[in-house]
Amino acid sequence: MIDILPTIQMVRRAGMIDLTWGHPATELLPVEEISRAAAAMLDRAGIEALTYGADQGAGPLLDWLRTRIARTEGRAPAAGEIVITAGNSDALEQICALWAHPGDVVLVESPTYHLAVRIMRDHPLELAPVVADEFGLRIDALEAAIASLRRAGRRPRMLYLVPTFHNPTGVSLSPERRAVLVELAAAEDLLIVEDDVYRELTYDGPAPPSLWSMAPPGVVARMGSFAKVLAPGLRLGWLTGGAALVGRLVSSGLRDSGGGTSHFAAMVVAELCASGRFEEHVARLRVAYRARRDALLSALAIHLPPGCRVSMPAGGYFVWVTLPAGLDAAELLPRAEATGVSFLPGARFHLEGGRGTNALRLAFSLHTPEELAEAAQKLGEVIGEN
Ligand SMILES: Cc1ncc(COP(=O)(O)O)c(C=O)c1O
């Protein structure tokens, strides 16, 4: 007998309102648009879509990205300051492999995206936490971390953070801290690796400016992705950064041997974007996810017992709940699951053992407003039993 192997990463649990997955809503994946774009692109580009792509990535997509970034961010990446990637996980992997050296110290805001930690540890890089609060990364903590390394005769190789619509907290770095951070990084010759995966999913007006758009050339490597705004299965993203870093990625053995990453996907997406359908799709996503966020936040406000604190994300997928002191989210989880709702305990997102035990992450992207309201009610009951 042949084993049937899985096709997709997500495992659905029957009867569970599962707020653990930071994945796009399946009914919002643009199957029709991708299908039409693929057919039109193949008609036009034919063999150019099926051979090895240029090492930097497909020209039509790079051109569209450069024009759009110039329009939306007020800064155009030069031709040598942008490269197509297979998404932000791939971009981070390539930075770790090609720009950092095993054993280098990387400063990481804490809490942080837990799977980026896994990528950086694969290399292996030494990770040093820098605490964040409700305004994002704390600059005083960053300065203290750099000073402490200096006393030990070491320098951090880079700083990894998610400054806009953070995973897991939903918080965005404040404008004041953005300005100071960029200045500090330039002065310290510290590479900022800006994970900008949620930028387009903004629900209350324009997203804050990217660190990349604010910084002198070479200070920030900003990773952007089509995973949350089109489809993660495309495995497609881009990186804007200094010409030296971009050049190192483009000239890698990987690309020399295999050409640009996800070439076929890049050609399909370039077609979709050129047709104007990208902007329409993003507008639809914003409306749908805003409704989900609002449903979850208003139900949490009604059902959570006193003493809980809830983050108010202006974009992205996540709400962060801090429980009254003494409660442990990991201990609550089995009881929550017994009622049909699941979440990720906060300790998962911290590098330092013992932090975040009284917090939890709720991902609102995958479920309908009705399901989210039901989840909030169940969570409130479970937390209130203590
Ligand atoms: C902060 C953050 N970075 C990166 C990723 C993964 O990005 P990609 O699918 O582009 O590899 C995610 C997905 O959950 C994320 O939340």
Side-chain angles (χ1 to χ4, degrees):
M1 218 181 80
I2 300 174
D3 290 334
I4 298 182
L5 297 172
T7 304
I8 66 169
Q9 191 179 51
M10 187 164 53
V11 180
R12 291 274 201 179
R13 291 183 281 175
M16 186 71 76
I17 305 176
D18 195 343
L19 308 185
T20 61
W21 297 97
H23 287 203
T26 47
E27 68 275 22
L28 295 173
L29 293 172
V31 176
E32 276 291 306
E33 284 90 338
I34 295 279
S35 166
R36 257 186 279 143
M41 183 279 291
L42 276 171
D43 269 353
R44 200 142 45 77
I47 53 169
E48 288 218 321
L50 296 180
T51 188
Y52 288 105
D55 292 359
Q56 189 177 353
L61 186 60
L62 287 165
D63 291 344
W64 180 82
L65 279 166
R66 288 179 65 204
T67 307
R68 185 169 190 276
I69 291 168
R71 177 166 55 77
T72 55
E73 302 198 46
R75 174 180 176 187
E81 292 178 335
I82 184 166
V83 56
I84 301 299
T85 68
N88 284 15
S89 311
D90 171 64
L92 183 59
E93 167 72 23
Q94 289 191 48
I95 292 171
C96 292
L98 299 169
W99 199 250
H101 306 287
D104 278 353
V105 179
V106 180
L107 298 169
V108 180
E109 88 188 304
S110 183
T112 194
Y113 172 48
H114 56 317
L115 303 181
V117 168
R118 296 210 49 206
I119 294 172
M120 292 185 277
R121 283 192 172 142
D122 276 347
H123 283 275
L125 300 172
E126 190 182 317
L127 308 187
V130 181
V131 290
D133 60 21
E134 68 270 34
F135 304 106
L137 184 84
R138 269 182 40 198
I139 304 296
D140 60 333
L142 176 64
E143 286 169 332
I146 295 172
S148 150
L149 285 168
R150 189 172 289 132
R151 282 194 297 278
R154 306 187 73 183
R155 264 171 46 89
R157 181 67 178 162
M158 56 197 199
L159 163 70
Y160 168 82
L161 80 166
V162 187
T164 303
F165 314 141
H166 189 264
N167 180 1
T169 63
V171 162
S172 290
L173 187 64
S174 69
E176 298 74 25
R177 288 191 192 176
R178 277 174 201 257
V180 177
L181 174 58
V182 159
E183 236 177 70
L184 178 67
E188 292 284 344
D189 196 17
L190 172 68
L191 174 71
I192 296 175
V193 177
E194 176 179 24
D195 189 336
D196 209 13
V197 74
Y198 296 105
R199 162 159 304 279
E200 297 294 335
L201 300 180
T202 176
Y203 313 135
D204 299 329
S210 65
L211 298 173
W212 171 80
S213 71
M214 299 170 65
V219 173
V220 179
R222 183 269 302 274
M223 309 184 297
S225 177
F226 288 102
K228 312 297 181 185
V229 274
L230 283 178
L234 293 165
R235 292 293 76 216
L236 194 66
W238 67 93
L239 179 144
T240 54
L245 183 139
V246 167
R248 181 68 194 93
L249 266 53
V250 172
S251 66
S252 67
L254 174 75
R255 287 173 191 254
D256 201 11
S257 171
T261 49
S262 311
H263 179 57
F264 180 79
M267 292 293 282
V268 174
V269 169
E271 183 81 25
L272 189 151
C273 291
S275 74
R277 294 224 169 78
F278 178 77
E279 308 297 347
E280 282 169 23
H281 183 66
V282 171
R284 263 198 307 277
L285 293 184
R286 287 182 183 148
V287 170
Y289 289 132
R290 182 189 298 122
R292 288 171 193 226
R293 176 204 60 176
D294 290 348
L296 180 61
L297 287 181
S298 46
L300 288 172
I302 294 167
H303 296 294
L304 287 189
C308 293
R309 275 185 296 124
V310 178
S311 70
M312 298 286 164
Y317 280 177
F318 307 105
V319 168
W320 183 251
V321 177
T322 309
L323 303 169
L327 285 192
D328 186 327
E331 282 172 16
L332 288 183
L333 182 60
R335 280 195 280 134
E337 291 194 338
T339 72
V341 59
S342 190
F343 57 79
L344 284 185
R348 190 81 62 90
F349 303 95
H350 289 79
L351 296 170
E352 320 89 312
R355 282 195 67 222
T357 52
N358 71 327
L360 52 97
R361 187 192 80 173
L362 305 177
F364 56 79
S365 49
L366 208 54
H367 287 277
T368 62
E370 295 72 28
E371 289 166 336
L372 291 164
E374 186 183 335
Q377 184 182 351
K378 288 178 165 170
L379 265 180
E381 281 162 15
V382 170
I383 296 168
E385 281 164 10
N386 284 276

